[in-house]
Amino acid sequence: MRVLGIETSCDETGVAIYDEERGLLANQLYTQIALHADYGGVVPELASRDHIRKTAPLIDAALKEAGLTAADIDGVAYTAGPGLIGALLVGSTIARSLAYAWNVPAIGIHHMEGHLLAPMLDSHRPDFPFLALLVSGGHTQLVKVEGVGQYQVIGESIDDAAGEAFDKTAKLLGLDYPGGAALARLASDGHAGRFAFPRPMTDRPGLDFSFSGLKTFAANTINKLVKQEGELSAQSKADIAYAFQEAVVDTLAIKCKRALQQTGYKRLVIAGGVSANQQLRENLAQMMKKLGGEVFYPPPQFCTDNGAMIAYAGMLRLAKGQHSGLALDIKPRWPMSELPAIEG
């Protein structure tokens, strides 16, 4: 089975083609970073309009990259949620229209299931069951994964997601959008030990997260330094970035260790945009080595939103006979527990 995947949940337009036997045949991606940079964040209406402009040309480019025509496509997968409602409508409308015109089945894919399965795009892929840490700008979740569609969320953020906290703290430091990656680069020049940030909710039982307090702590630290220095020095910014990143990474690692001990699993999957953070990868790799387990990540190009993860997830479900009806059914909010399992 050969599936065209379309991702338009937020500020990246992704189109890919995945072949059940040959693997990934094409992967096209357009990012809207420059479009939203002047606003310091994603503007939903602008995002939707840009998806309208970019999706069809990217589909043509993907078919050309794969050396295929529309007649070679066996199914169409698209992100049905969660995400920005306007952006989701663009991708789902185009996908449903193509599927109808090409007389092939279509299926709406859960955006976070796409991220969760993204490590399967690598040759070194985890076996089931495993623990997944989904960590991005919109989500921070610990998920017990027994198979495709067999998901149990056992921990999640009660306020800001980790990636959102990264972006907000970066903005406080005067960094350009998108701030998370910029903050991580700045942290590499920081000194350890100058600032001590809290590790929220690690002093109590449970697997939930809270990162809004870290952002507030960073804001208070910045305000205090501004009163002392008049203007933050480059080193002070780097030291704050270092302390903030260290606190987030430590918090994620502590909760992952608890969840692994609770489930008894020895495999940990990290996915979502923040999974590209090098400090997080290094800390979790060291932790899993001590625990006698193994950690898995998506290939770097598949950490952020992309069409390949949607095409892959769609292939798995379409191959088992699952498909969506003709009516558009997008879900800006969509619990993973509602997804049907794939047997076998």
Side-chain angles (χ1 to χ4, degrees):
M1 170 165 279
R2 199 174 290 123
V3 176
L4 174 75
I6 300 174
E7 155 62 22
T8 62
S9 65
C10 190
D11 61 343
E12 271 138 349
T13 312
V15 176
I17 299 173
Y18 194 92
D19 185 285
E20 188 173 8
E21 295 182 355
R22 297 167 56 197
L24 188 64
L25 302 182
N27 183 49
Q28 296 287 323
L29 182 68
Y30 176 81
T31 180
Q32 300 178 0
I33 287 176
L35 177 66
H36 302 288
D38 289 343
Y39 304 95
V42 178
V43 181
E45 178 64 21
L46 294 180
S48 300
R49 292 181 183 183
D50 208 51
H51 286 309
I52 293 172
R53 288 190 289 265
K54 298 298 191 302
T55 304
L58 286 178
I59 292 171
D60 289 339
L63 288 169
K64 184 177 180 180
E65 180 186 350
L68 303 174
T69 67
D72 299 311
I73 301 300
D74 301 308
V76 181
Y78 59 93
T79 303
L84 302 175
I85 187 168
L88 293 170
L89 276 170
V90 174
S92 60
T93 301
I94 293 174
R96 290 293 326 161
S97 300
L98 289 177
Y100 184 79
W102 296 346
N103 194 30
V104 297
I107 188 163
I109 296 298
H110 193 292
H111 180 72
M112 297 312 294
E113 179 177 55
H115 277 302
L116 187 151
L117 296 175
M120 304 298 185
L121 294 167
D122 197 6
S123 57
H124 180 56
R125 41 175 84 178
D127 294 324
F128 297 109
F130 57 77
L131 176 73
L133 172 65
L134 302 180
V135 56
S136 66
H139 298 81
T140 303
Q141 295 179 324
L142 282 167
V143 186
K144 185 179 177 182
V145 181
E146 297 182 352
V148 179
Q150 301 176 52
Y151 312 131
Q152 181 185 356
V153 177
I154 57 177
E156 58 189 333
S157 181
I158 62 174
D159 42 53
D160 289 355
E164 184 180 5
F166 262 100
D167 288 340
K168 288 181 177 178
T169 301
K171 191 171 184 179
L172 292 172
L173 290 170
L175 303 178
D176 292 335
Y177 171 85
L183 187 146
R185 289 192 295 271
L186 180 62
S188 65
D189 295 325
H191 296 149
R194 181 178 175 188
F195 300 107
F197 277 48
R199 276 56 173 165
M201 296 184 70
T202 58
D203 58 349
R204 67 192 76 174
L207 299 174
D208 287 338
F209 303 91
S210 173
F211 292 108
S212 65
L214 273 179
K215 175 202 65 181
T216 302
F217 193 94
N220 291 339
T221 302
I222 290 169
N223 291 335
K224 182 178 179 181
L225 278 178
V226 168
K227 290 180 180 178
Q228 295 174 351
E229 301 179 0
E231 183 178 350
L232 284 186
S233 66
Q235 190 60 55
S236 290
K237 289 183 178 182
D239 292 344
I240 291 171
Y242 181 97
F244 175 83
Q245 177 177 256
E246 185 181 47
V248 173
V249 168
D250 282 354
T251 299
L252 292 172
I254 290 168
K255 293 301 179 83
C256 282
K257 184 176 181 179
R258 284 185 189 175
L260 289 164
Q261 292 170 337
Q262 179 177 306
T263 60
Y265 291 168
K266 292 295 184 179
R267 290 179 288 271
L268 174 65
V269 162
I270 315 298
V274 182
S275 68
N277 183 282
Q278 289 303 308
Q279 189 61 51
L280 178 62
R281 289 188 173 217
E282 291 172 9
N283 280 31
L284 292 178
Q286 292 173 7
M287 181 190 79
M288 292 306 292
K289 185 176 181 180
K290 291 179 181 178
L291 294 175
E294 193 171 5
V295 62
F296 299 83
Y297 306 95
Q301 68 269 33
F302 302 133
C303 288
T304 53
D305 296 349
N306 63 87
M309 67 184 191
I310 302 303
Y312 178 75
M315 181 276 296
L316 293 178
R317 292 190 173 278
L318 288 168
K320 292 296 184 179
Q322 296 182 12
H323 61 86
S324 302
L326 284 175
L328 293 177
D329 185 22
I330 62 166
K331 301 177 181 179
R333 296 181 181 276
W334 189 6
M336 289 184 67
S337 58
E338 295 180 1
L339 294 176
I342 291 180
E343 302 298 334

